[in-house]
Amino acid sequence: MMNIPKFKLNDGNEIPSMGFGVFQIPADGSTYRAVTDALKLGYRHIDTATAYFNEQEVGQAIKDSGIPRDQIWVTSKLWLQDYAYADAEKAIDASLTKLGLDYVDLYLIHQPYGKVNEAWQAMEEAQQAGKIRSIGVSNMTPKLWKKWVPNFKVTPAVNQVEFNPYYQQRALRDILADSHVALEAWAPLGQGNQDLFAEPILNALAKKYNKNVGQIILRYEHQLGVIIFPKSVHEARIKSNAEIFDFMLTIDEMDAIAKLDKGRGMHDPDAPGVEEMLLNAFDVHAND
C-alpha cells in the first residue's frame, strides 16, 4: 500500500501531495472504474470539477470504496457561468449533491474571469458553514493573481495551474511563496509531450534510478513542493505514477531539470479572447 506524504496548506489543512485527476475521463462508467482503481491502489486525493461532468461517478466510487470519508481528500471546482453570488451558492450545493458528500476538502474558482469576487465571497461563506474545508483558485497568472486576490478576505490555499519541466511558473511561484500558497499542477507530465519525454537528462536519471521518465518528472515536481495529480485510466500507469516516494533527486539533478524550463505552456490565461472563449465554452447546466 502506497504511503503518500502530505503538504500543509496555509489554512492548516493537510493535503495529500499527490492525487488522482479525472479531467476528460467520461462519465460512462470510466470515471467510476478509474477512481475505484486509484483508491484501491492507495490514492487518497481525487480532483474533479463541475465542468468535468463526472462528479457523480467520483462520489459513487468514493462511497462504494468503504474508505472513511475523512481519509479521502476531494477537490471540485466552480465553473464560471455560476460566479454570480446566488448562482455560486447553488452551484456549491449542487456539487455536494452530485458527489453525495456533506463537504468537499477543496473547492476552486476554475477560471479567473467574470464575477470572481462574488464567487469568492460565496466560497468564503461556504467554508465558514463547513461545506468546504479549503478554498483556492485555478489558472491564475501573476497578472490575474494581482487583479483579484488583493480584494479577497481569505487568501487562497492553492492555485492550480499548468506546470511541468517545460513550464515551471517561476514568477508565479515567487508570488505564491510570499503567502504560503501551494501550487497544484495540472498537466504535470506535459500531457505526454514527446519532446519532454525524450530529454536526455530525464532519460539518464530514469536509467540511474531504475524508474521511467514520468516518475522522474513527478519526483522533481514533488521535491519542489508542487501538488501533482497525473491522470490515467490504465491501472498499471495509475500505480506506477505513485511509485516516486522511494528515491530522491540530488540538488544537482534538480538544478539540471530546472534548466529545461521554456517559460511558457500550452495555455495562456492572459491571452486575448481566452475569457470570451471560456465563458461560452459549454453549459454546465445543460442536463439539469
Side-chain angles (χ1 to χ4, degrees):
M1 192 64 159
M2 65 176 82
N3 191 16
I4 294 174
K6 292 182 174 177
F7 292 156
K8 191 166 219 161
L9 299 176
N10 60 14
D11 59 11
N13 290 326
E14 292 197 333
I15 186 169
S17 60
M18 181 180 225
F20 182 70
V22 297
F23 175 56
Q24 289 179 334
I25 305 183
D28 58 3
S30 307
T31 299
Y32 178 84
R33 281 192 300 277
V35 173
T36 298
D37 287 344
L39 291 171
K40 274 192 191 133
L41 290 166
Y43 284 82
R44 292 295 180 266
H45 171 179
I46 310 294
D47 181 276
T48 183
T50 302
Y52 298 173
F53 298 98
N54 55 17
E55 287 173 307
Q56 208 149 359
E57 289 197 15
V58 167
Q60 195 60 48
I62 288 168
K63 187 176 174 216
D64 292 350
S65 73
I67 298 162
R69 169 68 187 98
D70 62 2
Q71 288 178 26
I72 303 177
W73 181 281
V74 183
T75 299
S76 195
K77 311 177 192 82
L78 181 68
W79 189 243
L80 34 60
Q81 79 189 77
D82 287 331
Y83 285 3
Y85 176 77
D87 294 338
E89 281 189 311
K90 277 196 294 216
I92 292 163
D93 288 341
S95 275
L96 290 173
T97 301
K98 281 181 187 153
L99 287 159
L101 301 174
D102 298 328
Y103 67 91
V104 284
D105 297 275
L106 176 63
Y107 203 69
L108 306 180
I109 293 243
H110 201 154
Q111 301 288 352
Y113 314 106
K115 298 182 176 177
V116 171
N117 285 334
E118 290 188 34
W120 193 254
Q121 189 192 337
M123 285 163 59
E124 287 177 345
E125 289 172 13
Q127 185 181 33
Q128 286 162 355
K131 293 177 181 182
I132 304 169
R133 291 181 65 219
S134 294
I135 53 178
V137 296
S138 186
N139 295 305
M140 275 201 185
T141 60
K143 187 175 157 189
L144 286 158
W145 183 271
K146 286 171 188 156
K147 175 180 177 179
W148 296 114
V149 177
N151 305 316
F152 293 173
K153 278 212 293 267
V154 177
T155 303
V158 309
N159 184 11
Q160 185 179 122
V161 294
E162 183 182 356
F163 187 95
N164 58 67
Y166 277 173
Y167 189 29
Q168 300 191 30
Q169 297 276 12
R170 288 219 164 80
L172 182 64
R173 272 158 56 205
D174 289 344
I175 292 171
L176 299 184
D178 289 344
S179 309
H180 305 288
V181 179
L183 189 144
E184 289 192 325
W186 62 257
L189 295 170
Q191 293 190 331
N193 182 318
Q194 285 175 332
D195 292 344
L196 178 62
F197 276 74
E199 285 289 348
I201 177 67
L202 300 178
N203 283 276
L205 290 172
K207 207 167 181 180
K208 173 184 169 180
Y209 289 107
N210 198 22
K211 293 286 177 183
N212 62 44
V213 170
Q215 290 166 324
I216 298 296
I217 293 171
L218 294 171
R219 178 68 208 182
Y220 171 72
E221 293 164 346
H222 176 73
Q223 283 182 224
L224 284 179
V226 171
I227 299 161
I228 46 181
F229 24 87
K231 189 204 106 202
S232 179
V233 290
H234 305 292
E235 192 176 352
R237 182 55 58 80
I238 294 170
K239 182 171 186 283
S240 74
N241 280 341
E243 291 169 346
I244 62 164
F245 303 112
D246 56 353
F247 74 105
M248 195 157 184
L249 299 167
T250 67
I251 291 171
D252 288 347
E253 288 163 353
M254 292 290 288
D255 288 346
I257 300 173
K259 291 191 177 81
L260 296 177
D261 189 16
K262 295 181 187 297
R264 61 179 188 277
M266 301 169 286
H267 174 60
D268 177 6
D270 293 329
V274 171
E275 178 169 356
E276 290 70 27
M277 187 256 310
L278 288 167
L279 278 165
N280 300 306
F282 42 75
D283 178 5
V284 294
H285 300 301
N287 302 323
D288 289 2

